[in-house]
Amino acid sequence: MTKNDEDNISPRVIAISSGKGGVGKTFFSIHLAVKAVRQGLRVLLLDADLGMANVDVMLGISGRGSVKQVLAGRSSLSEVLIHAKQGFDVLPGGSGFAELSALSSNQQQILMDEMREAAKDYDLVLIDTAAGIGDNVLFFVASAESSLVVLTPDPTSLTDAYALIKVLSQQRDVHRFMVLVNQVDAFEGELTFRRLMSVADRYLDVQLDYVGCMPSSKDVQRAVQHQQLLEHGEAYKALDATLKTVLSRPRDDSRQGGLQFFWEHSLGQSLSEEQTVGVPV
Ligand SMILES: Nc1ncnc2c1ncn2[C@@H]1O[C@H](COP(=O)(O)OP(=O)(O)OP(=O)(O)O)[C@@H](O)[C@H]1O
Ligand SMILES: [Mg+2]
C-alpha cells in the first residue's frame, strides 16, 4: 500500500465485523492499526460499535467526546479524535448511548460527511463494528472498501459469520470477504475456514479470502486486562503474520476504493431506502 499523498489517493477503508460477539474484533482492529502505523501509514480507527465503547476502553484512553457530539452537530469529527500513544487516531463511539445503536439515514449521512472530510488525512481507515447483522453494521461494512470477518471455531460463531456474509452479499452487494479465525491453531483455522467456504460456495455469490488465525492464549487475555498491546510470544507471532497478510492484500478495485466510494455508496443507500430529502448530493 502506498501513502495517501497530496495527489489525494483515497485511503483504504477496512471494516472489521463478526456474526457473533466477543470473537476478537476490537483486539484485532487495534493491533492492525498498530501494525499499519509501524509500516509508516497514517491510521484512523473508528469505533463503530456505537454507544458501546470498545476501542477506547481496550486502549485505556479517553477524550472530549465521541460520535454522539458529532451527530448532534456540537463538534466536528476532528475535535473529538483522540491521538493514541500507539501512533494512530481513534474516533470513539461513545458509551451508554442507546440512541446510537440504530442510526437514522440522516445520522448516517452526517457521519459519512465528517468521515469523508477527516479521511483525507489518512492512508488507512479501520472500522471496528458491532457484532451481528444490525443496520449500523450493514451500513458500515457496505460503505468500506474491504470487509474482514472474524470468527472462532465455535459452531454458533461459524453459523453467525455465514449469516452476516449472506446478508451482506444479498442485501448490500458485498461479495469479497477476508476471513480471520481466532482461538485456533493453524490446522483448526484452515478447517474452520474450509467449513465456512464449503457452505458459502454452495449457496452464496461470494469470494472468501483466508488471511490467517491466532491461537487462544492467556497472553491475549492478560494484554486486554492490562490495556496493553500483545508484543511477544506464540500468539503474537501468529497475530503478526495474519495482520501482515491483511495489510499486504491488494486494494479492491471493484469497489473503487476509499471514502469517495464510502460517501457515494452510503448516500445512494440512504436515499433509496428511506427517500431522505434535503441531503445535498
Ligand atoms: N486469541 C485469544 N485468546 C484468548 N482470549 C482472547 C483471544 N482473542 C480474544 N480474546 C478475549 O476475548 C475477549 C473479547 O475480545 P474483543 O473485545 O476484541 O472481541 P469483540 O469481537 O470486539 O467483542 P464485541 O463483539 O463485544 O465487540 C477479550 O476480552 C479477550 O481477552
Ligand atoms: Mg468489540
Side-chain angles (χ1 to χ4, degrees):
M1 194 184 336
T2 54
K3 275 197 163 198
N4 175 25
D5 57 21
E6 291 307 310
D7 295 332
N8 201 17
I9 298 168
S10 58
R12 185 178 182 190
V13 184
I14 305 176
I16 296 102
S17 58
S18 70
K20 195 175 178 207
V23 296
K25 291 180 298 299
T26 301
F27 180 84
F28 281 114
S29 300
I30 287 171
H31 287 79
L32 187 57
V34 172
K35 178 91 185 160
V37 166
R38 288 178 184 167
Q39 290 187 359
L41 302 178
R42 297 166 301 169
V43 183
L44 172 63
L45 172 53
L46 164 61
D47 186 350
D49 191 351
L50 302 180
M52 300 282 279
N54 273 247
V55 174
D56 44 354
V57 172
M58 210 178 266
L59 286 171
I61 54 178
S62 59
R64 284 162 294 163
S66 70
V67 165
K68 186 176 158 71
Q69 281 73 29
V70 176
L71 290 174
R74 288 203 293 273
S75 304
S76 71
L77 193 143
S78 57
E79 285 170 334
V80 297
L81 286 180
I82 306 173
H83 188 68
K85 66 173 191 272
Q86 292 82 1
F88 56 91
D89 289 343
V90 175
L91 175 58
S95 183
F97 307 128
E99 70 275 20
L100 297 183
S101 62
L103 296 178
S104 68
S105 52
N106 195 39
Q107 289 175 315
Q108 290 177 351
Q109 190 55 58
I110 294 169
L111 194 54
M112 288 311 99
D113 199 0
E114 292 280 346
M115 283 291 290
R116 181 170 171 255
E117 194 52 38
K120 288 177 185 159
D121 297 334
Y122 300 92
D123 305 300
L124 177 66
V125 177
L126 300 174
I127 306 177
D128 176 24
T129 77
I133 52 174
D135 191 60
N136 279 3
V137 174
L138 302 183
F139 164 69
F140 283 118
V141 178
S143 302
E145 175 186 330
S146 307
S147 167
L148 172 65
V149 173
V150 182
L151 71 154
T152 70
D154 172 357
T156 55
S157 174
L158 194 66
T159 312
D160 292 355
Y162 177 79
L164 174 66
I165 289 169
K166 177 181 172 179
V167 172
L168 282 164
S169 65
Q170 295 182 345
Q171 295 183 16
R172 303 292 169 127
D173 205 23
V174 180
H175 298 282
R176 293 188 190 176
F177 300 88
M178 292 185 274
V179 176
L180 196 164
V181 187
N182 191 8
Q183 315 243 23
V184 288
D185 59 23
F187 178 78
E188 204 182 359
E190 291 268 359
L191 199 69
T192 305
F193 175 70
R194 268 192 261 130
R195 281 204 187 108
L196 178 65
M197 187 141 101
S198 66
V199 198
D201 265 354
R202 210 173 315 149
Y203 299 107
L204 306 177
D205 172 22
V206 294
Q207 282 176 290
L208 304 185
D209 171 17
Y210 183 51
V211 291
C213 65
M214 187 170 80
S216 180
S217 165
K218 286 223 163 13
D219 292 345
V220 176
Q221 288 170 357
R222 223 173 287 129
V224 172
Q225 262 164 20
H226 294 103
Q227 296 173 316
Q228 286 170 350
L229 296 176
L230 182 70
E231 300 267 23
H232 309 283
E234 285 307 306
Y236 170 74
K237 277 188 208 154
L239 169 69
D240 194 54
T242 302
L243 299 178
K244 196 170 159 201
T245 303
V246 173
L247 292 174
S248 64
R249 284 292 190 260
R251 295 192 57 165
D252 189 347
D253 295 337
S254 72
R255 294 178 70 75
Q256 316 219 336
L259 287 182
Q260 186 59 36
F261 172 80
F262 197 53
W263 162 255
E264 287 168 359
H265 186 81
S266 308
L267 181 61
Q269 196 89 39
S270 308
L271 287 171
S272 61
E273 280 180 356
E274 298 189 22
Q275 295 296 302
T276 310
V277 289
V279 179
V281 182

